[in-house]
Amino acid sequence: MLTTRFHDAIADLPAAAWDALRGDDNPFVSHAFLATLERSGCIRPDWGWQPHHLGIYERERLIAAAPLYFKGNSHGEFVFDFGWARAWQQAGGEYYPKLLNGVPYSPVTGPRLLAGGDGQTVLLQRALVEAMRGEAEELGLSSVHANFLEAGETEAFDEDWLVRSDVQFHWHNHGYRHFPAFLATLNHKKRKNILREREQVAASGLAIEWRSGDSLSLLEWRRVHALYETTFDAKGNHAALTAAFFSHLGELGQTAQLALARDGETIVAMALFIQGGGVLYGRYWGASVDVPGLHFELCYYRGIDYAIAQGLQRFEPGAQGEHKLARGFLPVRTHSRHFLVNPGFRAAVADALIHEAEAVDGYAAELLAHSPYAKTREDNETGSPRDLSP
């Protein structure tokens, strides 16, 4: 007998069983990461987030799960549906709350339908999808959204779920021995620009260091958070992650990694990364100084350095940013699925998504046509840059 339950806190689900269902070591869906978000005050109804995590049980054993939230707005999701919300509300409907199957504040592809990796996985993933849909219908909600799905999970969603795709920029490790080996694969113009940016930082007199989060003192974590918060405030955005969350990251072993710039003893700039499953994820940047090239040095080049040194497969620096293309990050597709309960509303949005998909396809093709990598005959055959260093 299988039973479905919804939980108002990740702590109500067994940590070991949850993590065993992830399928890989993606850190953003780990029980510890999600629990840290909740217990440090980042997940709050007045900020539009209320946990409603889904578990499927065989007797009392958790056999499938999904990170799930009631959303009172569309902030912190990175798959934008503000236009849908306006249209539905103008038609007299209530778009919020809705259900979101995803990870708060994290535009990172990873497992969303946690169902292990055996012969029952596909059936359990479909059961999770049906449970989310059923919950929305039973509660009279407008919609359910599953964001940044792994490609293998998309088959669990039937034709009633609308398909969306977008573009991010990722760096892939092709077995580079060091940063100069990577640099040698780029065309001359891009190599020259990167070297110039790194030279500007070297000439600034700032000391750059790479630190594991578990090595930072509480005072250092507070300074890192202050830089993050100031940067968000300067752009008129809401800094949703609390100082407590930042310091708790230091308790998660080497999950958090940081590139820091110091002027004397004072941390004047930082880039925060999360790592796991052979991947480095760039998350946040903050600075109290304006130094040419410093953002690129901390957020991109130091991350590439670290990924090469650690033998990581990939470096995902975050959402958006065509400027990443010139620095060796290539476009990849992200995937989401959306169920709108009202059939007429669903049909209208489906028509609009046809044009959106055409535009995204064209954008991705244009980006690939401007690859920063130097082309060789071998590259034309394989589609991959090759190590051109001596």
Side-chain angles (χ1 to χ4, degrees):
M1 287 290 296
L2 301 184
T3 57
T4 298
R5 303 176 196 164
F6 293 89
H7 302 269
D8 59 9
I10 192 69
D12 293 342
L13 290 107
W18 175 284
D19 286 336
L21 295 171
R22 280 190 288 160
D24 63 28
D25 292 329
N26 183 290
F28 294 92
V29 291
S30 73
H31 193 280
F33 185 86
L34 295 173
T36 298
L37 282 170
E38 291 184 20
R39 67 189 175 99
S40 60
C42 302
I43 307 301
R44 296 164 37 176
D46 57 325
W47 287 356
W49 294 91
Q50 183 176 341
H52 197 57
H53 303 302
L54 169 59
I56 295 178
Y57 297 82
E58 186 176 47
R59 297 181 176 87
E60 291 301 312
R61 183 171 67 93
L62 184 69
I63 61 171
L68 193 64
Y69 300 86
F70 288 121
K71 286 295 275 95
N73 55 42
S74 292
H75 298 296
E77 300 174 23
F78 298 94
V79 178
F80 302 112
D81 63 345
F82 298 106
W84 302 0
R86 285 193 298 271
W88 188 234
Q89 290 166 339
Q90 288 170 0
E94 292 291 335
Y95 194 74
Y96 304 110
K98 61 181 183 177
L99 279 176
L100 173 68
N101 173 215
V103 177
Y105 316 117
S106 301
V108 173
T109 293
R112 298 294 181 261
L113 308 174
L114 315 185
D118 57 25
Q120 296 297 309
T121 297
V122 174
L123 292 176
L124 289 172
Q125 288 177 335
R126 290 174 179 165
L128 289 167
V129 170
E130 287 305 307
M132 291 187 289
R133 172 175 174 167
E135 184 75 346
E137 292 173 333
E138 182 176 340
L139 296 178
L141 305 182
S142 69
S143 53
V144 190
H145 308 262
N147 291 351
F148 297 100
L149 293 159
E150 291 189 331
E153 294 177 318
T154 60
E155 296 178 3
F157 299 83
D158 65 25
E159 64 277 3
D160 286 338
W161 291 75
L162 304 180
V163 175
R164 295 188 82 184
S165 180
D166 205 346
V167 174
Q168 286 187 352
F169 297 87
H170 297 173
W171 178 88
H172 292 83
N173 190 351
H174 294 280
Y176 303 116
R177 297 192 299 278
H178 39 54
F179 192 92
F182 151 68
L183 202 60
T185 66
L186 302 179
N187 64 49
H188 174 73
K189 182 178 179 181
K190 301 301 187 292
R191 288 199 306 272
K192 184 178 179 180
N193 182 61
I194 290 173
L195 288 171
R196 179 181 57 82
E197 290 172 341
R198 302 202 82 177
E199 288 167 357
Q200 288 175 322
V201 176
S204 71
L206 297 178
I208 311 296
E209 61 180 4
W210 188 276
R211 296 278 297 279
S212 177
D214 56 3
S215 74
L216 265 65
S217 68
L218 181 57
L219 286 176
E220 288 175 317
W221 271 118
R222 287 175 178 170
R223 176 60 179 165
V224 166
H225 181 266
L227 290 169
Y228 151 80
E229 193 171 45
T230 299
T231 300
F232 263 67
D233 290 345
K235 295 181 178 180
N237 295 326
H238 172 61
L241 300 181
T242 64
F245 173 76
F246 270 53
S247 61
H248 286 321
L249 281 178
E251 301 169 6
L252 301 181
Q254 297 185 357
T255 297
Q257 298 288 326
L258 299 100
L260 304 176
R262 293 182 186 267
D263 184 356
E265 295 298 316
T266 303
I267 299 173
V268 295
M270 70 85 191
L272 174 65
F273 305 82
I274 302 294
Q275 70 170 357
V279 183
L280 183 68
Y281 302 90
R283 300 307 303 120
Y284 298 103
W285 144 267
S288 60
V289 296
D290 185 11
V291 173
L294 185 59
H295 174 265
F296 302 128
E297 178 68 25
L298 295 188
C299 294
Y300 305 145
Y301 306 144
R302 293 289 168 151
I304 291 173
D305 265 332
Y306 180 80
I308 292 172
Q310 298 298 314
L312 303 181
Q313 304 165 10
R314 191 169 69 254
F315 172 22
E316 301 184 14
Q320 305 173 342
E322 292 181 10
H323 59 278
K324 297 168 184 170
L325 183 67
R327 293 164 178 88
F329 297 85
L330 293 178
V332 299
R333 302 300 285 266
T334 61
H335 306 279
S336 63
R337 295 293 183 270
H338 309 266
F339 176 71
L340 305 180
V341 174
N342 182 277
F345 185 37
R346 189 190 318 151
V349 172
D351 286 342
L353 287 179
I354 293 174
H355 302 291
E356 179 183 273
E358 292 173 350
V360 173
D361 288 343
Y363 176 60
E366 181 181 358
L367 290 170
L368 283 173
H370 293 86
S371 169
Y373 290 92
K375 286 290 185 180
T376 68
R377 183 166 59 186
E378 178 182 329
D379 295 333
N380 290 328
E381 294 171 354
T382 64
S384 299
R386 122 180 117 83
D387 186 348
L388 302 178
S389 61

